[in-house]
Amino acid sequence: MIKFILKGLIYDRQRSWFPIIVIALGVMLTTLLYCYMQGVSSDMVDINAKIDTGHVKIMTHEYAKIASQVPNDLAIWDLSKFLNKIKKEYPIDWVARIKFGGLLDIPDDKRETKAQSTVFGMAFDLLSKNTTEIDRLKLKLAIVRGRLPQNPGEIVISEKLANSLQIKLGEAATLISSTSTGNMAVHNFLIVGTTHFGISNLDRNIIIADISDIQYALDMEDAASELLGFLPTGFNKAKALKIKSNFNSPQMTMLTLADQNGLGEYLDLIGIKLSIIISVFVLAMSIVLWNTGLMSGIRRYGEIGLRLAIGESKEELYLSMILEAILVGIIGSLIGTVLGLLAAYYLQEVGIDTSELLKGSKMLMSTTIRAKITTTSYFIGFVPGILSMLFGTMIAGVGIFKRETASLFYELDV
Amino acid sequence: MQDTLINIHNLSKHYSIGGGQFSALKNVDLKINAGDFMGLVGPSGSGKTTLLNVIGALDSPSEGSVEVLKLKIENISAKQAAKLRKEKLGFIFQTYNLLPVYNVYENIEFPLLLLQLSSTQRKDLVMQALEWVGLLDKVKSKPAQLSGGECQRVAIARAMVKKPQVVLADEPTANLDARNSHNILQTMEKLNQLLGTTFIFATHDAKVIGYLKRKVTLIDGRVEEDITLPPRGPQC
């Protein structure tokens, strides 16, 4: 009987092709949309984690209250001691960071100001032998010209800033800022490279320096603005919450990634959006396929009547329709999933450049939007594709199943 | 003494139409024997098709009793009715009702699939049926490639392939010209003699009536006449 049904599907293009095309399209769009949303959300989460939030972050209570103002006078002091303690208690990767603001002054040959700009600075551990920061932030890939700092007193700045200030590599630059005690800080650096991250906020007026240089420049010896902790397998809400709930310090605050920058709400929202998209997909496809099932039923009225007359029971008839629907659903869903994954793979590898759109954006997100294929991508459209065809056929077939054989036979006009 | 395959006693069939009731069959009494080649004859609306459908367990009596192959139609479940049709009854329709996407072989094979026979058994039976109707050369043709007469012969082969005890034919010649009508009637007559299959026609076609051994005339749902016809003379 399965062979008979398969033959029918192959021979009768109207019975199979239209539903297969509808399902394949729907599944493809769902898969692609899911991968796209995964790409955007995980990209955003990943960037935020690496640059700003960590998977967990420790600050002093007072710093945390006004963190957006970068109040380095409220930073974590006795850093080495605290870092050793925290590493023992929570054996994940911990790194110290300093954020700072200031004025970058470029002098000419006569030591007069040639160019000047306000800058936002980030200090990472760039010079230690075992630093993980260069790889984590993909700093080598971000270098446009020159190189990363290899010696104390060297900095890199964003390519955009370098162009706007018309700076050449090897030029000196003076950072004018305030120390952690509120005094004026003036420190000279050598510009050894320029960067472009493809992340709107990091490609503006940014300078990147080694943390020990900035500790020295801002009178923050053995201090850091924040401590960022990174889980070995990426962000996991439950694991991060467990660390947070075990953390107990009278002076310090620990936040998870989900507590910061509205990322928790964002992740929840993505989950809700995905559920809505999948539900709408199943509903819309079920209605379309119900309609298709009805049309097919009308077209095959003679066949249905004949099969009843030949001795197929309504149950067998209904079952064969469902079997047919499952076969069509599997074929359509398979095609749709493959097409969706191919499109998602292209988006994952090549991406869409949105740098023009994000010119004024303050969000910490990549200017290249990429999809992300996860394990879920393989069945996020596949299962609803089969279900929608199944529901559509089940609803369409109810009419046949519910009617009396006799009245159905008369209606079928055999 | 011939076996009685179908015993109809005081059969009435009513339908609700609007607020009222329409009686398609009224107190029909009929016995149909094994090997009969009989026709239910009468004008349109006389109840021929309704009676055929009740005998075929596609419809149930409103009153009275219909026993088909020892099964009381008024008492059997939908599943039992389907089983009866699947195993013991064959149907031939005015409009052939071949499955357009399948070829001749597959159309004839379909009833055997429901009987869950092996592919070898199915093949033997299909080829035999094709031989009966003279369509061995059309095995792979699709219904759209056949003439009306050939389509009806495929329909006969499909009805006969499982060797049913009773074949119910509703106006089988209505869409055929005279030559094709005689052709298929001769085929059915031959099968009646060869296999002893009982044929029951619903018809008002004189050509069909010419082949019948027994004629039951229905008028307004009642049996007006039930006569045995003399054997036909030799054909030219």
Side-chain angles (χ1 to χ4, degrees):
Chain A
M1 199 65 183
I2 291 174
K3 206 172 159 189
F4 178 81
I5 290 170
L6 266 176
K7 272 184 190 171
L9 288 174
I10 294 164
Y11 297 158
D12 188 358
R13 292 179 179 186
Q14 278 180 296
R15 194 190 302 182
S16 51
W17 283 39
F18 180 67
I20 284 174
I21 289 169
V22 170
I23 294 169
L25 271 175
V27 171
M28 187 189 87
L29 288 174
T30 307
T31 308
L32 182 60
L33 197 62
Y34 173 79
C35 293
Y36 169 78
M37 288 180 82
Q38 280 295 312
V40 172
S41 67
S42 63
D43 192 40
M44 201 165 172
V45 167
D46 195 45
I47 288 170
N48 272 279
K50 285 176 178 171
I51 292 170
D52 186 30
T53 65
H55 297 151
V56 288
K57 184 199 268 189
I58 299 174
M59 298 166 280
T60 62
H61 291 318
E62 298 308 313
Y63 185 98
K65 284 177 192 168
I66 48 171
S68 61
Q69 295 173 27
V70 200
N72 282 328
D73 52 325
L74 303 171
I76 303 166
W77 297 91
D78 287 330
L79 179 67
S80 318
K81 195 177 157 191
F82 183 69
L83 202 53
N84 282 337
K85 181 177 168 260
I86 207 84
K87 277 180 178 174
K88 272 182 197 166
E89 284 177 27
Y90 309 101
I92 59 172
D93 192 13
W94 291 98
V95 293
R97 301 261 177 99
I98 297 176
K99 290 177 186 170
F100 57 95
L103 201 65
L104 196 68
D105 186 272
I106 312 298
D108 60 12
D109 296 340
K110 296 172 188 168
R111 312 299 297 167
E112 298 286 334
T113 297
K114 183 178 80 176
Q116 206 174 56
S117 173
T118 52
V119 290
F120 182 76
M122 299 182 84
F124 306 113
D125 176 11
L126 300 178
L127 301 180
S128 296
K129 199 178 169 188
N130 298 322
T131 180
T132 52
E133 294 280 71
I134 293 172
D135 285 342
R136 176 176 296 114
L137 296 160
K138 294 179 182 164
L139 288 175
K140 282 180 183 166
L141 288 175
I143 291 290
V144 179
R145 289 185 284 153
R147 57 172 174 79
L148 282 173
Q150 290 169 352
N151 304 298
E154 293 179 345
I155 58 168
V156 289
I157 65 173
S158 70
E159 175 71 8
K160 211 172 194 175
L161 179 63
N163 289 336
S164 70
L165 297 178
Q166 294 181 317
I167 296 171
K168 289 176 195 152
L169 296 186
E171 279 193 77
T174 305
L175 173 68
I176 304 163
S177 184
S178 61
T179 66
S180 59
T181 50
N183 296 320
M184 191 174 180
V186 180
H187 199 84
N188 290 328
F189 290 98
L190 191 67
I191 300 168
V192 294
T194 62
T195 56
H196 177 79
F197 287 89
I199 297 166
S200 189
N201 284 16
L202 291 187
D203 290 331
R204 291 183 195 148
N205 296 352
I206 285 283
I207 70 169
I208 294 173
D210 179 60
I211 193 164
S212 53
D213 278 344
I214 298 302
Q215 283 172 329
Y216 178 70
L218 304 183
D219 280 345
M220 291 177 70
E221 303 291 341
D222 202 24
S225 312
E226 7 182 88
L227 271 180
L228 271 57
F230 292 93
L231 296 161
T233 51
F235 179 65
N236 179 304
K237 198 174 178 180
K239 283 182 187 171
L241 277 174
K242 195 179 173 189
I243 293 173
K244 184 186 169 183
S245 63
N246 290 336
F247 181 74
N248 184 17
S249 166
Q251 292 92 26
M252 305 289 177
T253 296
M254 184 184 277
L255 299 175
T256 71
L257 176 144
D259 302 324
Q260 303 171 66
N261 301 356
L263 287 172
E265 291 84 353
Y266 176 76
L267 287 174
D268 290 344
L269 196 67
I270 287 282
I272 293 166
K273 274 185 181 174
L274 274 175
S275 308
I276 292 171
I277 286 168
I278 301 299
S279 308
V280 167
F281 165 74
V282 172
L283 188 72
M285 295 294 273
S286 290
I287 292 168
V288 171
L289 293 167
W290 168 32
N291 216 12
T292 311
L294 282 177
M295 284 196 296
S296 172
I298 290 165
R299 205 170 59 82
R300 293 167 67 191
Y301 249 34
E303 177 192 332
I304 292 166
L306 174 81
R307 287 168 67 170
L308 283 173
I310 280 177
E312 241 184 313
S313 65
K314 282 189 292 185
E315 287 87 349
E316 285 170 322
L317 197 61
Y318 193 59
L319 215 65
S320 81
M321 283 173 70
I322 285 175
L323 194 65
E324 214 172 87
I326 292 171
L327 282 172
V328 168
I330 289 173
I331 295 166
S333 298
L334 211 60
I335 294 170
T337 302
V338 169
L339 291 177
L341 286 173
L342 282 175
Y345 181 74
Y346 176 80
L347 263 186
Q348 181 177 271
E349 296 303 310
V350 180
I352 302 170
D353 184 7
T354 57
S355 51
E356 286 299 310
L357 291 171
L358 292 172
K359 260 181 181 170
S361 169
K362 289 179 180 173
M363 286 173 81
L364 208 52
M365 63 185 292
S366 170
T367 51
T368 304
I369 292 177
R370 291 178 193 279
K372 186 182 180 188
I373 297 173
T374 64
T375 316
T376 313
S377 312
Y378 292 93
F379 56 82
I380 194 77
F382 189 83
V383 175
I386 296 172
L387 289 181
S388 58
M389 183 67 195
L390 191 62
F391 290 155
T393 308
M394 282 168 85
I395 298 166
V398 161
I400 290 170
F401 194 65
K402 274 194 165 178
R403 272 196 187 78
E404 288 293 318
T405 305
S407 51
L408 189 62
F409 193 72
Y410 286 124
E411 284 167 30
L412 296 173
D413 197 25
V414 175
Chain B
M1 169 115 180
Q2 287 178 304
D3 291 339
T4 300
L5 297 185
I6 298 162
N7 194 350
I8 300 167
H9 179 62
N10 204 24
L11 166 67
S12 293
K13 180 70 192 175
H14 312 298
Y15 294 106
S16 298
I17 296 177
Q21 202 177 52
F22 167 73
S23 295
L25 295 170
K26 297 164 196 163
N27 306 108
V28 173
D29 285 296
L30 207 60
K31 281 186 180 173
I32 300 169
N33 298 322
D36 259 359
F37 199 77
M38 65 163 298
L40 305 170
V41 180
S44 294
S46 59
K48 308 184 293 289
T49 301
T50 305
L51 183 53
L52 215 58
N53 285 341
V54 174
I55 295 170
L58 289 164
D59 212 342
S60 54
S62 304
E63 289 166 36
S65 163
V66 177
E67 193 179 299
V68 178
L69 301 165
K70 295 180 179 156
L71 283 172
K72 296 257 187 197
I73 298 297
E74 62 273 22
N75 294 336
I76 59 174
S77 65
K79 270 194 177 172
Q80 286 172 311
K83 190 169 184 283
L84 172 69
R85 289 195 296 272
K86 184 160 66 180
E87 292 174 356
K88 308 274 175 63
L89 304 180
F91 285 83
I92 298 169
F93 308 98
Q94 177 181 333
T95 48
Y96 328 130
N97 283 299
L98 301 181
L99 303 175
V101 297
Y102 297 97
N103 63 28
V104 166
Y105 183 95
E106 289 157 350
N107 264 284
I108 299 170
E109 187 191 26
F110 181 60
L112 303 177
L113 288 171
L114 299 179
L115 292 171
Q116 298 180 329
L117 300 180
S118 70
S119 61
T120 319
Q121 284 174 303
R122 292 201 305 267
K123 192 178 176 186
D124 290 345
L125 289 168
V126 172
M127 297 315 282
Q128 189 182 42
L130 279 166
E131 201 180 333
W132 290 336
V133 296
L135 282 177
L136 278 168
D137 57 333
K138 301 281 183 185
V139 173
K140 291 190 174 171
S141 302
K142 290 275 176 73
Q145 297 167 307
L146 303 176
S147 68
E150 285 171 330
C151 282
Q152 196 58 303
R153 281 197 277 159
V154 175
I156 294 168
R158 183 180 61 195
M160 292 302 298
V161 71
K162 61 188 175 188
K163 296 179 182 166
Q165 286 181 263
V166 179
V167 169
L168 305 166
D170 192 0
E171 305 280 10
T173 55
N175 286 347
L176 299 176
D177 58 22
R179 191 168 149 233
N180 274 312
S181 295
H182 284 298
N183 207 333
I184 70 123
L185 284 163
Q186 281 161 14
T187 304
M188 288 192 271
E189 190 180 46
K190 183 180 79 183
L191 290 168
N192 169 252
Q193 286 161 5
L194 184 73
L195 304 169
T197 310
T198 303
F199 278 81
I200 304 171
F201 297 90
T203 187
H204 56 256
D205 183 350
K207 295 188 288 294
V208 178
I209 297 167
Y211 282 81
L212 299 177
K213 294 178 189 170
R214 180 183 168 195
K215 185 175 86 169
V216 175
T217 306
L218 291 170
I219 304 286
D220 293 332
R222 292 182 194 279
V223 176
E224 282 290 315
E225 186 184 51
D226 183 354
I227 54 168
T228 304
L229 298 170
R232 281 187 311 132
Q235 298 296 300
C236 298

